[in-house]
Amino acid sequence: MGRAAPSCAAAGAEQRHRRLHQSPPAALFLLFNIGLLLRTGDCQLQTPCRIQKCTTDFVSLTSHLNSALDGFDLEFCKALRAYSACTYRNSKVCRGNLVYHSAVLGISDLMSQRNCSKDGPTSSTNPEVTHDPCNYSGRIGARELRGGEQTPPTYLFCGLFGDPHLRTFKDHFQTCKVEGAWPLIDNNYLSVQVTNVPLVPGSSATATNKITIIFKSYQDCTEQKVYQAVTDDLPAAFVDGTTSGGDSDTKSLRIVERVSGRYVEMHARYIGATVFVRQVGRYLMLAIRMPEELAMAYEESQDLQLCVNGCPSSERIDDSGHLPLPVMGQLLPHAASTQPWSVYTLESATTKCHEKMLVKDIYFYSCVFDLLTTGDANFTAAAHSALQDVEALHPRKERWHIFPNSGNGDMGKNSKLSVSLGLVCLILLAFL
């Protein structure tokens, strides 16, 4: 044991040297692994330093948090302040402990990265007590701690935009007619209904001009709240005039207006759901992220949900999820010569969409399809916004882009030919 101290010091010094040259995100990784050093046989501590307990409590308080969800910074900063207070209480007994000093430096780095103030509320070190029952991520974290598991929840994404194009919870991409009122989501926690109207005379293509969202009452977290948007009326409040649900301090449900009359977000902490509603041009679009276990909590009679099962086959105007484009620059047939959509050819529509979307994925081809169908340049912005919403809400980056007729994202010549030959028939079908 007499030779253990120099070995421990050298290991700690090397660890600190590496830490100072790591990128900032590595600080969190370092803190999570500090406890491992304490278990190294050659580095047994001879003092009652409790840095391992401080680190273990911090991991317990943060392991369930998701940085993509609303409220992450608040909870993470509270946990960091608790961690900092714990190290301060142990400053005398841990004075010569290299692991302790590494933890102090790591905490400082993380507080700077997250803009955490040194003064403020802290998390209790008892996870059973601190988790807010009206915070889904905290509720799940407490449940996992009781069960001894640390598996983060799975989140799903659904979006609707344009002509209209639907991306389901299963990442299936469809283009549908669905004229009238249709349910996107209808589970035990949330209901979303959209109303679609015809775009141009003689076409079966539609777009959304009304969205109704019902956040169902849940325990003491919120009473039922209804949000409704129609073309040229995108309010920053629920129909009862309020902007939040639940306790006025915690606000387990709230509306945030990002662009007046054009873009609002709804954050439902109690069910871990986030909803974006936008108006682009004359029509509305929607994107939503919510936990899989809640999205799939519905009765057998509630199975007509476009986000869950997609559009009925009779309402589909795409080809198995793909949007083929014509080879030549044919104009679409039109019902009246006064319609502005007659000015776009395949070439000009492609050029217009390429201004905002450089990747030729399904969002790019949806943009081209919409321009050929309607001639309304606002659909270019709608497709671009839809992709931005995917990047903000979809939990898996590798699935952000969907490429037509290809599993690996590359379109061969045969694929392009089949894509090209198909839309002539598809566009004609939209006008039948």
Side-chain angles (χ1 to χ4, degrees), residues 183-184 186 298-310:
L184 283 184
D186 185 19
Y298 58 88
E299 305 299 326
E300 185 176 349
S301 60
Q302 298 171 293
D303 63 338
L304 181 58
Q305 302 180 57
L306 301 190
C307 283
V308 176
N309 297 313

Side-chain angles (χ1 to χ4, degrees), residues 160-163 165 262-263 278-286 344 349 351-357 363-364 366-368 370-371 374-390:
L160 186 78
F161 71 98
D163 201 3
H165 308 288
R262 292 289 167 177
Y263 173 27
R278 301 177 187 262
Q279 177 173 332
V280 180
R282 294 285 302 161
Y283 301 103
L284 305 177
M285 54 185 292
L286 176 140
Y344 276 101
T351 300
K352 183 68 176 177
C353 293
H354 195 61
E355 292 176 1
K356 285 188 173 291
M357 288 169 287
Y363 291 90
F364 172 85
S366 296
C367 171
V368 175
D370 289 352
L371 287 184
T374 69
D376 185 349
N378 287 307
F379 283 97
T380 303
H384 182 246
S385 295
L387 183 56
Q388 288 182 314
D389 291 346
V390 169

Side-chain angles (χ1 to χ4, degrees), residues 383-412:
H384 182 246
S385 295
L387 183 56
Q388 288 182 314
D389 291 346
V390 169
E391 294 173 354
L393 297 179
H394 198 292
R396 299 183 62 177
K397 185 175 182 179
E398 70 274 13
R399 293 187 178 181
W400 286 357
H401 296 284
I402 298 175
F403 295 90
N405 288 338
S406 175
N408 59 10
D410 296 322
M411 292 183 64

Side-chain angles (χ1 to χ4, degrees), residues 227-230 233-238 255 257 261 264:
Y227 178 84
Q228 190 168 91
V230 296
D233 185 12
L234 193 69
F238 297 107
I255 295 179
E257 185 176 55
V264 299

